[in-house]
Amino acid sequence: MHIVLDESAMAAIGQGNVLASRLIHRAHAEADWFLYAPACALVEADRARPGTAEHLAAMPGITVLDLDLTAALAVAQQETWAPAHSQYAAQPTPDRPDGAVIATTTPKRWESEAVRVLDLTP
């Protein structure tokens, strides 16, 4: 299972969201579970809740996704960087042929997008 954390999910982790905590536990304990933190979303989460970036980057079960050239070009086409980088990260790749699910506490934001969503609203 490949899961991309959007900035709302990252902030929820720092606020003790039980569902987000379960994701972290599974990613740490199970070999076929992967959590990704897109850098642009990580910046926004840290702006909303200072310390979030350091906290998440220190977790062994979370992979921070850099803003490489391909991602930057995709993000540049959008109005806001955090959701754009999360959406880009959820797209299929050779490593993730089925793409990834976006974990969020704001599922309505993703309704008009072609992404799968995991609602972390308690």
Side-chain angles (χ1 to χ4, degrees), residues 4-21 23-24 35-57 59 62 82 86 102-106 109 120-122:
V4 174
L5 302 168
D6 76 357
E7 70 273 17
S8 72
M10 292 181 205
I13 289 169
Q15 296 170 332
N17 180 296
V18 174
L19 298 174
S21 294
L23 285 179
I24 293 167
L35 292 181
Y36 303 99
C40 293
L42 189 59
V43 168
E44 287 302 316
D46 198 70
R47 285 181 180 165
R49 186 172 172 82
T52 299
E54 289 177 20
H55 179 68
L56 290 175
M59 292 183 174
I62 297 177
S86 297
I102 295 180
T104 185
T105 61
T106 56
R109 174 210 284 171
L120 298 181
T121 306

Side-chain angles (χ1 to χ4, degrees), residues 10 31 51 53 64 74 79-80 82 88 117-118:
M10 292 181 205
V64 176
E79 203 169 298
T80 56
Y88 172 80
V117 172
L118 175 61

